[in-house]
Amino acid sequence: MDDDGMILNFVTGDDAGAQTSNKKITGGRWKDRRKVRNEMIRKEPNNKRPVREENISKEDQVEIETFESHQSKKQKPNHNNNPSGFVGNRKTKDLDNKISRDKGQTTLPQASEQIVTSLFSSSREIETSVNTNAHDETAVVNPSNAPLAGDNFESFGTHPTLVTHLEEKMRISKPTSIQKLVVPHLMSNLNDNDLFIHAQTGSGKTLAFLLPVLSTLLNMKERIDRTSGAFSLIIAPTRELASQIYQVCLTLTQCCHYLVPCLLIGGERKKSEKARLRKGCNFIIGTPGRILDHLQNTKVIREQLAASLRYVILDEGDKLMELGFEETLTDILKIIHEIPLNPKKFPSLPSRIIHVLCSATTTGSVTKLGNVALKNYRLLSNCKNKKDKSASDLSVAPDQLKQMVTIVPPKLRLVTLGGILSDITKKVQAEDKKDETTRTMVFLSCSDSVEFHFEAFTNMDSACRKLVADSVKQLTRGSTVFPCFDNESDPNVVFYKLHGSLSQQMRSATLKHFATNNDATKGKHLIMFCTDVASRGLDLPHVGTVIEFDPPFSVEDHLHRVGRTARAGRSGDSILFLLPGEEEGYLEHIKPYHPLGWKLLKFDQDILKPAFTSMHVERNDKKQFKDKKKEDVEWDTNATTWHLNIERRILEDDGFKSVAVKGYSSHIRAYTTHISSEKVYFNVRCLHLGHLAKSFGLRERPRAMNAQSKKGANDDPTRRKPKKENPKNVMFSRARLMAKEGASEFNY
Ligand SMILES: Nc1ncnc2c1ncn2[C@@H]1O[C@H](COP(=O)(O)OP(=O)(O)OP(=O)(O)O)[C@@H](O)[C@H]1O
């Protein structure tokens, strides 16, 4: 018997019903008509798609589950009765029903065989056949977050050294709309209101608050240097975002070397941070936990802030609240307000501390933070009004963003992702832009899922090498990861992974490699698998495509994810993956945030067919189908072979299998954490767990989970009865958590 002992079913339904469709069925209810029609299709012998034998060698000429048996399951999808999702489960299947598709013979499978359902059959139909929010391809669109042509920074009183520096070193000469609102306000001595900044993604908020502060310092008559004290405290929710603001501040202060920023983030050595604080700094930038830690335990930081602090900036306020930093921020503000301020020391600066809160939304928990942090504030917003005013007060996606949506059955998710990434790579290579770097970000729900997808794409044939550490791998010649690669040419693709469970050093090194244009990245397609740790505020240069492979956890997250592309007036694409069924309803939910609409992509015709037609997909077990040219192999056979390669690797490699099982389990767990208002679209009970397992290369749900369901439990953690914990253990774990809290930032 063959190595896998696979039983395959190649049914795409493309041709099915070709003849039957001509016969009109009338009368009765539509459900009955559909039933009769399906019966007719099943009885039609010519409607069965012939088995493609090209890639199946004689040894694994396998039995094929009939379309009939699959269809009958299809009509009555019952997830509870068939939790594995594999209609071909050996234990439950009546073997007599299986008919060898090739010659119509009935053959019993051998003991070692595993039954594998077709990739191209689904238990749910796609309902969104009509796009109710179609994008008008012919309409001329003006970028909504681009610099404004008719304005300049000089007119706001920006210091000339800074204006020259911006133009020469950063190629920035015109302000964006939010900068036009914020810069004059913060620079005017007449306005000492606090500010609430509400702006679209990629509209230049960082410069909007850094420029006026720095310019005010440069305009001062007093001589200042790093020992003059910290004038500004900037707090960001994630280490990555804090580091990025620090980098922008470093670049800006290159024109005034005597002013120094300092970064305080979790995961770095506190001792070296203290040493830097002791030397003196004018901008303190960091994450809440570490800043509070220093405020409570490092005397020198309080000395730095005394007398000089005038600006407290809270970036991504809504995320700060979402991550549970409310108490930490309240403590920080309390300590700061207790430090005595001497307005006479720097008379040209505001006589009180100005608080600035930046947020993607003006409603919800951020208003609570606003109440704590802001006094007598002004709201400055560049957000357009949405059509639907009842929706929460979020900005809309940038006008120039090309949003696409694809509804993909759970079994086909992985291969469709492979298809999209292959299509983008092919396009880049066809354009032959040797000096340009293309960047794609793939958003996943959890760290374990990132690990699985990174492994699946980088180790498919071991043809890759590490560039930085385990988190950055470049594909090498001879790689078959994508169907578009041929053996002779260099793939020019580098994969990255980024999530909160990686060490801070690895996270920083990975991001730096992804964001830098140099010889290692020139002319390459850089693909990053990441969690939402990369969705907030990160400004990565020229991200061409954002793929939301797992649905976002809220509309805010969706807007921030897609906002990694189409920044500062540049173009960008974004693709949202949804499952057929309840998830399709999510489109109505996000409609108000996409006033210019989206394009619906058919996963088979628009993605898989172009990716896998006439492509070179070899079996990774080296078995070849003789006398077949690659042009003769149909795209769905190629796609199936590609997927089987991953399944085979999982069967052979226990390490990879455990990565896949972990990825799958964590994905399901993460799915249960969708916010309650969106659970109607993302309900774990509606998931076809068996089919979803397939998209993690697993031929059935992991055994542990099966065992659980046998015991009467199910995979929805929300439905499990919580175990009663020993009160002593609860106390200890709380104590450990409290001890950790000071040093750790949110990991996801
Ligand atoms: N006036 C300008 N002209 C051209 N480019 C600009 C201008 N201001 C900022 N940029 C660039 O726009 C990009 C986005 O800026 P920034 O990261 O500050 O946006 P943001 O509004 O904070 O985005 P997000 O909401 O995603 O956090 C950066 O690359 C920045 O250099």
Side-chain angles (χ1 to χ4, degrees), residues 147 153 171-176 179 199-207 244 316 536-539 560 563-564 567-568 570:
F153 288 104
R171 309 248 168 271
I172 290 176
S173 52
K174 313 270 177 218
T176 60
Q179 290 162 357
Q200 207 169 40
T201 54
S203 58
K205 284 189 287 293
T206 316
L207 279 183
Q244 184 180 291
E316 305 284 354
R536 282 286 174 149
L538 285 194
D539 183 49
H560 281 282
R564 295 317 96 205
R567 296 174 72 73
R570 288 186 212 103

PDB file of all heavy atoms in Angstrom, residues 147 153 171-176 179 199-207 244 316 536-539 560 563-564 567-568 570, ligand 1:
ATOM      1  N   PRO A 147      -0.508  64.331   2.108  1.00  0.00           N
ATOM      2  CA  PRO A 147      -0.162  65.725   2.433  1.00  0.00           C
ATOM      3  C   PRO A 147      -0.979  66.684   1.578  1.00  0.00           C
ATOM      4  O   PRO A 147      -1.328  66.381   0.435  1.00  0.00           O
ATOM      5  CB  PRO A 147       1.324  65.794   2.079  1.00  0.00           C
ATOM      6  CG  PRO A 147       1.795  64.388   2.041  1.00  0.00           C
ATOM      7  CD  PRO A 147       0.634  63.545   1.646  1.00  0.00           C
ATOM      8  N   PHE A 153       4.727  73.974   6.288  1.00  0.00           N
ATOM      9  CA  PHE A 153       4.971  74.015   7.733  1.00  0.00           C
ATOM     10  C   PHE A 153       5.408  75.406   8.217  1.00  0.00           C
ATOM     11  O   PHE A 153       5.181  75.750   9.371  1.00  0.00           O
ATOM     12  CB  PHE A 153       6.014  72.969   8.141  1.00  0.00           C
ATOM     13  CG  PHE A 153       5.494  71.553   8.080  1.00  0.00           C
ATOM     14  CD1 PHE A 153       5.855  70.700   7.053  1.00  0.00           C
ATOM     15  CD2 PHE A 153       4.626  71.076   9.051  1.00  0.00           C
ATOM     16  CE1 PHE A 153       5.373  69.401   7.002  1.00  0.00           C
ATOM     17  CE2 PHE A 153       4.126  69.785   9.011  1.00  0.00           C
ATOM     18  CZ  PHE A 153       4.501  68.938   7.977  1.00  0.00           C
ATOM     19  N   ARG A 171      12.153  64.104   3.482  1.00  0.00           N
ATOM     20  CA  ARG A 171      11.363  64.329   2.255  1.00  0.00           C
ATOM     21  C   ARG A 171       9.899  64.685   2.588  1.00  0.00           C
ATOM     22  O   ARG A 171       8.951  64.179   1.985  1.00  0.00           O
ATOM     23  CB  ARG A 171      11.381  63.101   1.342  1.00  0.00           C
ATOM     24  CG  ARG A 171      12.749  62.562   1.034  1.00  0.00           C
ATOM     25  CD  ARG A 171      13.123  62.770  -0.434  1.00  0.00           C
ATOM     26  NE  ARG A 171      14.521  62.521  -0.680  1.00  0.00           N
ATOM     27  CZ  ARG A 171      15.487  63.452  -0.582  1.00  0.00           C
ATOM     28  NH1 ARG A 171      15.198  64.693  -0.277  1.00  0.00           N
ATOM     29  NH2 ARG A 171      16.752  63.155  -0.823  1.00  0.00           N
ATOM     30  N   ILE A 172       9.717  65.506   3.602  1.00  0.00           N
ATOM     31  CA  ILE A 172       8.371  65.927   3.991  1.00  0.00           C
ATOM     32  C   ILE A 172       8.290  67.446   3.895  1.00  0.00           C
ATOM     33  O   ILE A 172       9.058  68.151   4.553  1.00  0.00           O
ATOM     34  CB  ILE A 172       8.051  65.456   5.429  1.00  0.00           C
ATOM     35  CG1 ILE A 172       7.885  63.934   5.448  1.00  0.00           C
ATOM     36  CG2 ILE A 172       6.792  66.134   5.982  1.00  0.00           C
ATOM     37  CD1 ILE A 172       7.664  63.318   6.808  1.00  0.00           C
ATOM     38  N   SER A 173       7.401  67.958   3.042  1.00  0.00           N
ATOM     39  CA  SER A 173       7.331  69.411   2.894  1.00  0.00           C
ATOM     40  C   SER A 173       5.926  69.970   3.126  1.00  0.00           C
ATOM     41  O   SER A 173       5.750  71.115   3.491  1.00  0.00           O
ATOM     42  CB  SER A 173       7.829  69.823   1.501  1.00  0.00           C
ATOM     43  OG  SER A 173       7.142  69.067   0.537  1.00  0.00           O
ATOM     44  N   LYS A 174       4.921  69.132   2.928  1.00  0.00           N
ATOM     45  CA  LYS A 174       3.529  69.602   3.102  1.00  0.00           C
ATOM     46  C   LYS A 174       2.895  68.866   4.279  1.00  0.00           C
ATOM     47  O   LYS A 174       3.084  67.662   4.430  1.00  0.00           O
ATOM     48  CB  LYS A 174       2.689  69.298   1.845  1.00  0.00           C
ATOM     49  CG  LYS A 174       3.354  69.668   0.547  1.00  0.00           C
ATOM     50  CD  LYS A 174       3.015  71.077   0.175  1.00  0.00           C
ATOM     51  CE  LYS A 174       3.738  71.484  -1.102  1.00  0.00           C
ATOM     52  NZ  LYS A 174       4.195  72.875  -1.041  1.00  0.00           N
ATOM     53  N   PRO A 175       2.110  69.566   5.065  1.00  0.00           N
ATOM     54  CA  PRO A 175       1.456  68.882   6.192  1.00  0.00           C
ATOM     55  C   PRO A 175       0.236  68.079   5.742  1.00  0.00           C
ATOM     56  O   PRO A 175      -0.389  68.394   4.733  1.00  0.00           O
ATOM     57  CB  PRO A 175       1.022  70.043   7.086  1.00  0.00           C
ATOM     58  CG  PRO A 175       0.829  71.175   6.139  1.00  0.00           C
ATOM     59  CD  PRO A 175       1.789  70.995   5.002  1.00  0.00           C
ATOM     60  N   THR A 176      -0.085  67.055   6.514  1.00  0.00           N
ATOM     61  CA  THR A 176      -1.343  66.325   6.265  1.00  0.00           C
ATOM     62  C   THR A 176      -2.465  67.087   6.982  1.00  0.00           C
ATOM     63  O   THR A 176      -2.189  68.017   7.754  1.00  0.00           O
ATOM     64  CB  THR A 176      -1.254  64.896   6.828  1.00  0.00           C
ATOM     65  OG1 THR A 176      -1.032  64.985   8.230  1.00  0.00           O
ATOM     66  CG2 THR A 176      -0.143  64.091   6.186  1.00  0.00           C
ATOM     67  N   GLN A 179      -2.095  67.215  10.747  1.00  0.00           N
ATOM     68  CA  GLN A 179      -0.970  68.070  11.157  1.00  0.00           C
ATOM     69  C   GLN A 179      -1.371  69.548  11.037  1.00  0.00           C
ATOM     70  O   GLN A 179      -1.003  70.368  11.878  1.00  0.00           O
ATOM     71  CB  GLN A 179       0.262  67.764  10.307  1.00  0.00           C
ATOM     72  CG  GLN A 179       0.858  66.403  10.616  1.00  0.00           C
ATOM     73  CD  GLN A 179       1.786  65.848   9.558  1.00  0.00           C
ATOM     74  OE1 GLN A 179       1.974  66.456   8.498  1.00  0.00           O
ATOM     75  NE2 GLN A 179       2.363  64.687   9.812  1.00  0.00           N
ATOM     76  N   ALA A 199      -7.878  60.687  14.313  1.00  0.00           N
ATOM     77  CA  ALA A 199      -7.481  60.780  12.895  1.00  0.00           C
ATOM     78  C   ALA A 199      -7.468  59.427  12.217  1.00  0.00           C
ATOM     79  O   ALA A 199      -7.392  58.376  12.870  1.00  0.00           O
ATOM     80  CB  ALA A 199      -6.100  61.411  12.802  1.00  0.00           C
ATOM     81  N   GLN A 200      -7.517  59.485  10.899  1.00  0.00           N
ATOM     82  CA  GLN A 200      -7.490  58.289  10.072  1.00  0.00           C
ATOM     83  C   GLN A 200      -6.115  57.616  10.169  1.00  0.00           C
ATOM     84  O   GLN A 200      -5.126  58.302  10.465  1.00  0.00           O
ATOM     85  CB  GLN A 200      -7.718  58.729   8.626  1.00  0.00           C
ATOM     86  CG  GLN A 200      -8.344  57.683   7.765  1.00  0.00           C
ATOM     87  CD  GLN A 200      -8.771  58.268   6.435  1.00  0.00           C
ATOM     88  OE1 GLN A 200      -8.066  59.089   5.860  1.00  0.00           O
ATOM     89  NE2 GLN A 200      -9.906  57.837   5.949  1.00  0.00           N
ATOM     90  N   THR A 201      -6.052  56.325   9.911  1.00  0.00           N
ATOM     91  CA  THR A 201      -4.754  55.623   9.947  1.00  0.00           C
ATOM     92  C   THR A 201      -3.821  56.195   8.873  1.00  0.00           C
ATOM     93  O   THR A 201      -4.274  56.612   7.805  1.00  0.00           O
ATOM     94  CB  THR A 201      -4.929  54.114   9.697  1.00  0.00           C
ATOM     95  OG1 THR A 201      -5.651  53.948   8.487  1.00  0.00           O
ATOM     96  CG2 THR A 201      -5.628  53.425  10.840  1.00  0.00           C
ATOM     97  N   GLY A 202      -2.557  56.233   9.198  1.00  0.00           N
ATOM     98  CA  GLY A 202      -1.538  56.660   8.235  1.00  0.00           C
ATOM     99  C   GLY A 202      -1.606  58.116   7.866  1.00  0.00           C
ATOM    100  O   GLY A 202      -1.138  58.525   6.796  1.00  0.00           O
ATOM    101  N   SER A 203      -2.198  58.956   8.739  1.00  0.00           N
ATOM    102  CA  SER A 203      -2.320  60.377   8.386  1.00  0.00           C
ATOM    103  C   SER A 203      -1.249  61.236   9.057  1.00  0.00           C
ATOM    104  O   SER A 203      -1.326  62.465   9.007  1.00  0.00           O
ATOM    105  CB  SER A 203      -3.728  60.874   8.719  1.00  0.00           C
ATOM    106  OG  SER A 203      -3.989  60.662  10.083  1.00  0.00           O
ATOM    107  N   GLY A 204      -0.273  60.604   9.712  1.00  0.00           N
ATOM    108  CA  GLY A 204       0.865  61.358  10.255  1.00  0.00           C
ATOM    109  C   GLY A 204       0.646  61.932  11.647  1.00  0.00           C
ATOM    110  O   GLY A 204       1.085  63.048  11.933  1.00  0.00           O
ATOM    111  N   LYS A 205       0.027  61.147  12.540  1.00  0.00           N
ATOM    112  CA  LYS A 205      -0.232  61.623  13.906  1.00  0.00           C
ATOM    113  C   LYS A 205       1.071  61.814  14.685  1.00  0.00           C
ATOM    114  O   LYS A 205       1.193  62.738  15.479  1.00  0.00           O
ATOM    115  CB  LYS A 205      -1.135  60.637  14.660  1.00  0.00           C
ATOM    116  CG  LYS A 205      -2.594  60.712  14.255  1.00  0.00           C
ATOM    117  CD  LYS A 205      -3.465  59.891  15.158  1.00  0.00           C
ATOM    118  CE  LYS A 205      -3.331  58.404  14.964  1.00  0.00           C
ATOM    119  NZ  LYS A 205      -3.812  57.888  13.696  1.00  0.00           N
ATOM    120  N   THR A 206       2.040  60.921  14.445  1.00  0.00           N
ATOM    121  CA  THR A 206       3.297  60.993  15.219  1.00  0.00           C
ATOM    122  C   THR A 206       3.959  62.356  15.020  1.00  0.00           C
ATOM    123  O   THR A 206       4.343  63.014  15.992  1.00  0.00           O
ATOM    124  CB  THR A 206       4.255  59.864  14.766  1.00  0.00           C
ATOM    125  OG1 THR A 206       3.501  58.665  14.638  1.00  0.00           O
ATOM    126  CG2 THR A 206       5.385  59.664  15.743  1.00  0.00           C
ATOM    127  N   LEU A 207       4.083  62.773  13.768  1.00  0.00           N
ATOM    128  CA  LEU A 207       4.686  64.095  13.526  1.00  0.00           C
ATOM    129  C   LEU A 207       3.767  65.204  14.027  1.00  0.00           C
ATOM    130  O   LEU A 207       4.248  66.252  14.465  1.00  0.00           O
ATOM    131  CB  LEU A 207       4.956  64.290  12.038  1.00  0.00           C
ATOM    132  CG  LEU A 207       6.231  63.635  11.489  1.00  0.00           C
ATOM    133  CD1 LEU A 207       6.397  63.980  10.018  1.00  0.00           C
ATOM    134  CD2 LEU A 207       7.461  64.076  12.269  1.00  0.00           C
ATOM    135  N   GLN A 244       9.006  52.813  17.710  1.00  0.00           N
ATOM    136  CA  GLN A 244       8.856  53.549  16.454  1.00  0.00           C
ATOM    137  C   GLN A 244       8.796  55.065  16.696  1.00  0.00           C
ATOM    138  O   GLN A 244       9.441  55.842  15.976  1.00  0.00           O
ATOM    139  CB  GLN A 244       7.584  53.079  15.767  1.00  0.00           C
ATOM    140  CG  GLN A 244       7.361  53.684  14.417  1.00  0.00           C
ATOM    141  CD  GLN A 244       6.082  53.146  13.824  1.00  0.00           C
ATOM    142  OE1 GLN A 244       5.995  51.981  13.482  1.00  0.00           O
ATOM    143  NE2 GLN A 244       5.081  53.992  13.704  1.00  0.00           N
ATOM    144  N   GLU A 316      -2.585  56.097  20.855  1.00  0.00           N
ATOM    145  CA  GLU A 316      -3.501  54.953  20.745  1.00  0.00           C
ATOM    146  C   GLU A 316      -4.235  54.726  22.066  1.00  0.00           C
ATOM    147  O   GLU A 316      -4.186  53.632  22.661  1.00  0.00           O
ATOM    148  CB  GLU A 316      -2.727  53.672  20.347  1.00  0.00           C
ATOM    149  CG  GLU A 316      -1.911  53.782  19.088  1.00  0.00           C
ATOM    150  CD  GLU A 316      -2.734  53.739  17.799  1.00  0.00           C
ATOM    151  OE1 GLU A 316      -3.956  53.514  17.858  1.00  0.00           O
ATOM    152  OE2 GLU A 316      -2.144  53.974  16.730  1.00  0.00           O
ATOM    153  N   ARG A 536      -1.260  47.915  15.372  1.00  0.00           N
ATOM    154  CA  ARG A 536      -1.415  49.265  15.896  1.00  0.00           C
ATOM    155  C   ARG A 536      -0.237  50.167  15.607  1.00  0.00           C
ATOM    156  O   ARG A 536       0.897  49.870  16.026  1.00  0.00           O
ATOM    157  CB  ARG A 536      -1.587  49.199  17.409  1.00  0.00           C
ATOM    158  CG  ARG A 536      -2.961  48.796  17.809  1.00  0.00           C
ATOM    159  CD  ARG A 536      -3.921  49.929  17.582  1.00  0.00           C
ATOM    160  NE  ARG A 536      -5.283  49.481  17.841  1.00  0.00           N
ATOM    161  CZ  ARG A 536      -6.230  50.264  18.300  1.00  0.00           C
ATOM    162  NH1 ARG A 536      -5.994  51.518  18.540  1.00  0.00           N
ATOM    163  NH2 ARG A 536      -7.443  49.809  18.479  1.00  0.00           N
ATOM    164  N   GLY A 537      -0.494  51.219  14.887  1.00  0.00           N
ATOM    165  CA  GLY A 537       0.457  52.308  14.766  1.00  0.00           C
ATOM    166  C   GLY A 537       1.754  52.029  14.027  1.00  0.00           C
ATOM    167  O   GLY A 537       2.486  52.957  13.727  1.00  0.00           O
ATOM    168  N   LEU A 538       2.042  50.739  13.726  1.00  0.00           N
ATOM    169  CA  LEU A 538       3.347  50.480  13.107  1.00  0.00           C
ATOM    170  C   LEU A 538       3.398  51.076  11.709  1.00  0.00           C
ATOM    171  O   LEU A 538       2.488  50.889  10.910  1.00  0.00           O
ATOM    172  CB  LEU A 538       3.628  48.983  13.041  1.00  0.00           C
ATOM    173  CG  LEU A 538       4.010  48.300  14.353  1.00  0.00           C
ATOM    174  CD1 LEU A 538       4.595  46.934  14.103  1.00  0.00           C
ATOM    175  CD2 LEU A 538       4.984  49.147  15.150  1.00  0.00           C
ATOM    176  N   ASP A 539       4.471  51.783  11.456  1.00  0.00           N
ATOM    177  CA  ASP A 539       4.627  52.426  10.150  1.00  0.00           C
ATOM    178  C   ASP A 539       5.720  51.691   9.388  1.00  0.00           C
ATOM    179  O   ASP A 539       6.890  52.041   9.470  1.00  0.00           O
ATOM    180  CB  ASP A 539       4.995  53.895  10.363  1.00  0.00           C
ATOM    181  CG  ASP A 539       5.091  54.627   9.051  1.00  0.00           C
ATOM    182  OD1 ASP A 539       4.154  54.505   8.237  1.00  0.00           O
ATOM    183  OD2 ASP A 539       6.119  55.297   8.815  1.00  0.00           O
ATOM    184  N   HIS A 560      -7.316  49.246  11.885  1.00  0.00           N
ATOM    185  CA  HIS A 560      -5.881  49.385  12.134  1.00  0.00           C
ATOM    186  C   HIS A 560      -5.065  48.409  11.297  1.00  0.00           C
ATOM    187  O   HIS A 560      -3.992  48.743  10.818  1.00  0.00           O
ATOM    188  CB  HIS A 560      -5.581  49.217  13.622  1.00  0.00           C
ATOM    189  CG  HIS A 560      -5.896  50.461  14.384  1.00  0.00           C
ATOM    190  ND1 HIS A 560      -5.067  51.547  14.389  1.00  0.00           N
ATOM    191  CD2 HIS A 560      -6.972  50.807  15.116  1.00  0.00           C
ATOM    192  CE1 HIS A 560      -5.614  52.505  15.106  1.00  0.00           C
ATOM    193  NE2 HIS A 560      -6.775  52.090  15.546  1.00  0.00           N
ATOM    194  N   GLY A 563      -4.997  49.588   7.892  1.00  0.00           N
ATOM    195  CA  GLY A 563      -4.269  50.858   7.895  1.00  0.00           C
ATOM    196  C   GLY A 563      -2.759  50.714   7.834  1.00  0.00           C
ATOM    197  O   GLY A 563      -2.036  51.714   7.761  1.00  0.00           O
ATOM    198  N   ARG A 564      -2.254  49.459   7.843  1.00  0.00           N
ATOM    199  CA  ARG A 564      -0.786  49.286   7.659  1.00  0.00           C
ATOM    200  C   ARG A 564      -0.411  49.542   6.201  1.00  0.00           C
ATOM    201  O   ARG A 564       0.769  49.666   5.873  1.00  0.00           O
ATOM    202  CB  ARG A 564      -0.309  47.873   8.064  1.00  0.00           C
ATOM    203  CG  ARG A 564      -0.455  47.490   9.531  1.00  0.00           C
ATOM    204  CD  ARG A 564      -0.066  48.563  10.479  1.00  0.00           C
ATOM    205  NE  ARG A 564      -1.222  49.309  10.916  1.00  0.00           N
ATOM    206  CZ  ARG A 564      -1.201  50.578  11.358  1.00  0.00           C
ATOM    207  NH1 ARG A 564      -0.080  51.233  11.391  1.00  0.00           N
ATOM    208  NH2 ARG A 564      -2.306  51.182  11.735  1.00  0.00           N
ATOM    209  N   ARG A 567      -0.871  54.308   3.326  1.00  0.00           N
ATOM    210  CA  ARG A 567      -0.504  55.328   4.314  1.00  0.00           C
ATOM    211  C   ARG A 567       0.012  56.585   3.629  1.00  0.00           C
ATOM    212  O   ARG A 567       0.634  56.512   2.574  1.00  0.00           O
ATOM    213  CB  ARG A 567       0.565  54.769   5.269  1.00  0.00           C
ATOM    214  CG  ARG A 567       0.017  53.599   6.075  1.00  0.00           C
ATOM    215  CD  ARG A 567       1.061  52.945   6.914  1.00  0.00           C
ATOM    216  NE  ARG A 567       1.500  53.732   8.065  1.00  0.00           N
ATOM    217  CZ  ARG A 567       0.793  53.937   9.139  1.00  0.00           C
ATOM    218  NH1 ARG A 567      -0.419  53.440   9.230  1.00  0.00           N
ATOM    219  NH2 ARG A 567       1.271  54.652  10.148  1.00  0.00           N
ATOM    220  N   ALA A 568      -0.227  57.711   4.244  1.00  0.00           N
ATOM    221  CA  ALA A 568       0.249  59.022   3.773  1.00  0.00           C
ATOM    222  C   ALA A 568       0.047  59.199   2.262  1.00  0.00           C
ATOM    223  O   ALA A 568       0.957  59.615   1.548  1.00  0.00           O
ATOM    224  CB  ALA A 568       1.714  59.214   4.151  1.00  0.00           C
ATOM    225  N   ARG A 570      -0.312  56.984  -0.096  1.00  0.00           N
ATOM    226  CA  ARG A 570       0.101  55.901  -1.002  1.00  0.00           C
ATOM    227  C   ARG A 570      -1.050  54.914  -1.231  1.00  0.00           C
ATOM    228  O   ARG A 570      -1.975  54.835  -0.432  1.00  0.00           O
ATOM    229  CB  ARG A 570       1.308  55.156  -0.422  1.00  0.00           C
ATOM    230  CG  ARG A 570       2.559  55.983  -0.489  1.00  0.00           C
ATOM    231  CD  ARG A 570       3.770  55.200  -0.049  1.00  0.00           C
ATOM    232  NE  ARG A 570       4.702  56.123   0.576  1.00  0.00           N
ATOM    233  CZ  ARG A 570       4.867  56.232   1.873  1.00  0.00           C
ATOM    234  NH1 ARG A 570       4.205  55.453   2.695  1.00  0.00           N
ATOM    235  NH2 ARG A 570       5.712  57.108   2.375  1.00  0.00           N
TER     236      ARG A 570
HETATM  237  N1  LIG B   1       3.380  65.596   6.052  1.00  0.00           N
HETATM  238  C1  LIG B   1       3.762  64.433   5.620  1.00  0.00           C
HETATM  239  N2  LIG B   1       4.114  64.243   4.335  1.00  0.00           N
HETATM  240  C2  LIG B   1       4.483  63.023   3.889  1.00  0.00           C
HETATM  241  N3  LIG B   1       4.576  61.944   4.664  1.00  0.00           N
HETATM  242  C3  LIG B   1       4.243  62.077   5.947  1.00  0.00           C
HETATM  243  C4  LIG B   1       3.825  63.307   6.500  1.00  0.00           C
HETATM  244  N4  LIG B   1       3.574  63.129   7.814  1.00  0.00           N
HETATM  245  C5  LIG B   1       3.823  61.846   8.077  1.00  0.00           C
HETATM  246  N5  LIG B   1       4.221  61.212   6.960  1.00  0.00           N
HETATM  247  C6  LIG B   1       4.559  59.795   6.845  1.00  0.00           C
HETATM  248  O1  LIG B   1       3.338  59.080   6.947  1.00  0.00           O
HETATM  249  C7  LIG B   1       3.553  57.824   7.535  1.00  0.00           C
HETATM  250  C8  LIG B   1       2.512  57.585   8.599  1.00  0.00           C
HETATM  251  O2  LIG B   1       2.745  58.410   9.721  1.00  0.00           O
HETATM  252  P1  LIG B   1       2.307  57.986  11.197  1.00  0.00           P
HETATM  253  O3  LIG B   1       2.875  56.666  11.528  1.00  0.00           O
HETATM  254  O4  LIG B   1       2.607  59.107  12.074  1.00  0.00           O
HETATM  255  O5  LIG B   1       0.752  57.854  10.970  1.00  0.00           O
HETATM  256  P2  LIG B   1      -0.381  57.608  12.047  1.00  0.00           P
HETATM  257  O6  LIG B   1      -1.467  58.559  11.746  1.00  0.00           O
HETATM  258  O7  LIG B   1       0.195  57.622  13.412  1.00  0.00           O
HETATM  259  O8  LIG B   1      -0.827  56.155  11.642  1.00  0.00           O
HETATM  260  P3  LIG B   1      -1.553  55.053  12.559  1.00  0.00           P
HETATM  261  O9  LIG B   1      -2.945  55.530  12.751  1.00  0.00           O
HETATM  262  O10 LIG B   1      -1.474  53.846  11.744  1.00  0.00           O
HETATM  263  O11 LIG B   1      -0.809  54.987  13.826  1.00  0.00           O
HETATM  264  C9  LIG B   1       4.987  57.845   8.029  1.00  0.00           C
HETATM  265  O12 LIG B   1       5.780  57.095   7.147  1.00  0.00           O
HETATM  266  C10 LIG B   1       5.393  59.280   7.986  1.00  0.00           C
HETATM  267  O13 LIG B   1       6.760  59.453   7.714  1.00  0.00           O
END
